[in-house]
Amino acid sequence: MGYVSTLIIALISAGAGAYFAILKSKKERLWSDRYEALKEVVLALGTVESRFSSSHMEQLGVSVISRAESKKLSDEWPVAMYSLRENIAKLQLLFKDTDISALHEAVVELNSAFTDAYHGNPIDMPENHETIAIRAKAAAKAAIAIGQKYCL
C-alpha cells in the first residue's frame, strides 16, 4: 500500500508541475510577444521622427545629417509606417484597450499630422514636418511607458 500512495503522490506532483510549467510558458510567450511588438513600434517611430525632424531642419536651411543618411531615411520611413500599423494591431490583441489607450491616441494624432502635411498648404510644410516629428516622439514615449510598465 505504501508504494501505491507514493506513486499517486508522484503522479499528482508531476501533473501539477507540468500544469505550472505550461502556465509559465504562456506568460513568458505573452511577455515576449508584447516586448517584440513594442520594440518594433519604438523603432518605427524613431525612424519617422528622425526623418521628419531632419527634413524640418533642412527646410530651415540647417543640414543635420548627410545626404546618404537623408536618402536612407526617406526610403525607410514608409516601411516604418507600415510596420507601425502592423505592430499596433498586434498590441491591440496583446493588451487591453485601457492599457494602450495613450499609445493609440498618440498614433491617431501622428496620422492626423500626416493628413495635415500632405493634404494641407505646401507653404506650411516645415511646420508640418516638425509636428510629425513631435507627434512621433510623443508616440514613442507612450510605447516606452507601456513597455516599462508591463515588460520589466
Side-chain angles (χ1 to χ4, degrees), residues 45 48-57 59-60 106-118 124-140:
L45 289 167
V48 172
E49 181 200 354
S50 295
R51 161 59 170 95
F52 286 94
S53 64
S54 65
S55 173
H56 168 69
M57 295 304 288
Q59 290 172 353
L60 295 176
V107 170
V108 168
E109 289 177 7
L110 174 63
N111 288 333
S112 294
F114 272 109
T115 301
D116 293 344
Y118 290 102
D124 297 332
M125 194 60 76
E127 290 80 17
N128 289 336
H129 280 210
E130 180 183 31
T131 302
I132 290 170
I134 290 168
R135 300 250 171 101
K137 188 172 189 169

Side-chain angles (χ1 to χ4, degrees), residues 77-151:
W77 81 264
V79 176
M81 287 302 293
Y82 176 79
S83 173
L84 178 64
R85 285 189 298 275
E86 191 175 74
N87 284 294
I88 291 294
K90 286 180 190 176
L91 290 175
Q92 289 174 327
L93 293 172
L94 297 170
F95 286 96
K96 295 177 184 174
D97 287 338
T98 55
D99 296 338
I100 60 168
S101 62
L103 175 61
H104 188 265
E105 289 173 19
V107 170
V108 168
E109 289 177 7
L110 174 63
N111 288 333
S112 294
F114 272 109
T115 301
D116 293 344
Y118 290 102
H119 297 295
N121 186 351
I123 295 170
D124 297 332
M125 194 60 76
E127 290 80 17
N128 289 336
H129 280 210
E130 180 183 31
T131 302
I132 290 170
I134 290 168
R135 300 250 171 101
K137 188 172 189 169
K141 285 182 180 181
I144 290 168
I146 292 168
Q148 290 174 342
K149 184 175 181 179
Y150 294 101
C151 295

